Amino acid sequence: MKILLVNPPVGFGYYSMGLSRPPLGLAYLASLLTDKHRVEIVDFNIESKSWKRYPFAGFDVVGISADTARYTVALKIAARAKATGAAVVMGGPHVSFFDEDALRSRSVDYIIRNEGEYSFLSLVRHLAGEIRLEEVTGLSCLVDDGIIRTPPAPFITDLDSLPMPARELLPLRRYKEKIDGRPMTTMITSRGCPFNCNHCSSSKFSSGRWTTRSGEGTMAEIDLIYRKYGYRAINFIDDNFTLNPRRAIEISERIVAGGYDLHWEAMSHVETVVKNPDMVEAMARAGL
């Protein structure tokens, strides 16, 4: 099957400040599909061609990522893709919580709720005639004007089991964000956060879970980014990189021991920073 994964444009927020980051969520989806399907990723935050003129025809499946800031434009993209005859799938935080509105727009055929990798892979298998719809977990769809929701997909507890995100499908050098003048790329070492901050959807999206990759898996991807792609700056876009200070120290010490000349950034929680000066010092030595 021919599959297009779409990152809708933002136009404000990070992007209005000149920041642009690869859509790693879509790259993770693609990594599970490329062995059997033709997969492309288009990021309309850096794409020279507008979504209004993009050739959606010819794709069997169009998957669109949708957070709240981009939900309106995501629906417009969905309508254009559906008009070409593609099966349109939407995922992301917004539609995980508000699936019915998107489905009743009639521009979206399927919603993937919460973590998308294995649910989306199963949906593609269903669309290819390999499994029944009921076997796709974490799915919402409209059947006879009623919303069907299959049971939630189990959270992925072994993040090391996921393939590396398919960065080769992204035009990485067109992302211009820098740290200390160094071209930067992104990476994820953990998912979720247990803090129920009222400005953030992470704890709801992850059901309060915090799941980490192993030190070995984390360092393997750092090494890949450093040696294959040539980056000397990384933004760890975990919801809360420092939730376990000992883990943050371990990663920092591994960066130093590996001789990596890195400058990096990470999201944290102020209480963790204040209470763990040894962690902050270790991270600083490693290039934070």
Side-chain angles (χ1 to χ4, degrees), residues 5-65:
L5 303 176
V6 178
N7 195 37
V10 178
F12 57 91
Y14 286 121
Y15 290 89
S16 67
M17 296 185 287
L19 309 181
S20 59
R21 299 173 179 179
L24 280 192
L26 297 183
Y28 269 108
L29 290 181
S31 70
L32 290 169
L33 296 163
T34 51
D35 61 333
K36 292 185 178 180
H37 304 280
R38 292 176 56 193
V39 183
E40 296 179 27
I41 300 175
V42 59
D43 184 352
F44 286 113
N45 293 287
I46 62 165
E47 172 68 35
S48 57
K49 188 177 295 184
S50 166
W51 60 267
K52 296 178 182 178
R53 298 187 300 275
Y54 195 81
F56 293 102
F59 290 98
D60 301 298
V61 181
V62 175
I64 305 170
S65 180

Side-chain angles (χ1 to χ4, degrees), residues 252-273:
S252 300
E253 289 177 343
R254 284 174 178 257
I255 290 172
V256 172
Y260 298 99
D261 174 26
L262 280 175
H263 290 193
W264 53 279
E265 300 175 348
M267 297 285 279
S268 184
H269 189 277
V270 65
E271 192 170 309
T272 313
V273 171

Side-chain angles (χ1 to χ4, degrees), residues 188-190 210-215 218 238 240-253:
I188 300 171
T189 77
S190 67
W210 186 64
T211 309
T212 65
R213 297 172 65 181
S214 68
T218 296
D238 308 31
N240 194 335
F241 181 84
T242 62
L243 186 62
N244 182 335
R246 285 181 295 178
R247 176 179 178 273
I249 290 171
E250 178 195 347
I251 292 173
S252 300
E253 289 177 343

Side-chain angles (χ1 to χ4, degrees), residues 177-186 222 225-226 231-236 255 260-266 283-288:
E177 190 170 347
K178 296 181 178 181
I179 299 175
D180 298 332
R182 300 178 173 201
M184 177 273 289
T185 196
T186 52
I222 288 176
I225 288 170
Y226 191 88
Y231 283 97
R232 297 297 181 264
I234 297 176
N235 191 315
F236 295 105
I255 290 172
Y260 298 99
D261 174 26
L262 280 175
H263 290 193
W264 53 279
E265 300 175 348
M283 293 194 299
R285 285 193 297 272
L288 175 68

Side-chain angles (χ1 to χ4, degrees), residues 24-200:
L24 280 192
L26 297 183
Y28 269 108
L29 290 181
S31 70
L32 290 169
L33 296 163
T34 51
D35 61 333
K36 292 185 178 180
H37 304 280
R38 292 176 56 193
V39 183
E40 296 179 27
I41 300 175
V42 59
D43 184 352
F44 286 113
N45 293 287
I46 62 165
E47 172 68 35
S48 57
K49 188 177 295 184
S50 166
W51 60 267
K52 296 178 182 178
R53 298 187 300 275
Y54 195 81
F56 293 102
F59 290 98
D60 301 298
V61 181
V62 175
I64 305 170
S65 180
D67 51 25
T68 301
R70 298 178 294 170
Y71 175 63
T72 300
V73 69
L75 279 183
K76 293 177 181 178
I77 293 171
R80 288 188 175 258
K82 188 169 175 60
T84 68
V88 177
V89 188
M90 196 172 284
H94 186 92
V95 291
S96 290
F97 301 125
F98 303 106
D99 56 357
E100 184 167 358
D101 181 67
L103 292 171
R104 293 203 181 279
S105 74
R106 306 288 176 171
S107 297
V108 180
D109 298 301
Y110 304 98
I111 297 293
I112 296 293
R113 306 189 308 273
N114 299 92
E115 282 185 321
E117 286 90 354
Y118 291 116
S119 292
F120 189 75
L121 176 62
S122 294
L123 176 59
V124 170
R125 290 186 63 205
H126 163 69
L127 295 173
E130 297 176 11
I131 62 174
R132 296 178 297 111
L133 183 69
E134 294 77 14
E135 296 179 66
V136 184
T137 56
L139 180 74
S140 300
C141 60
L142 203 61
V143 176
D144 297 330
D145 208 41
I147 303 294
I148 300 297
R149 296 180 179 93
T150 64
F155 283 96
I156 301 170
T157 56
D158 179 10
L159 296 180
D160 287 345
S161 67
L162 291 170
M164 297 284 189
R167 290 183 173 89
E168 66 276 8
L169 298 182
L170 294 166
L172 292 177
R173 298 304 172 185
R174 292 173 65 182
Y175 295 93
K176 301 300 185 183
E177 190 170 347
K178 296 181 178 181
I179 299 175
D180 298 332
R182 300 178 173 201
M184 177 273 289
T185 196
T186 52
M187 179 178 154
I188 300 171
T189 77
S190 67
R191 291 184 177 182
C193 179
F195 293 110
N196 193 26
C197 301
N198 61 12
H199 64 272
C200 179

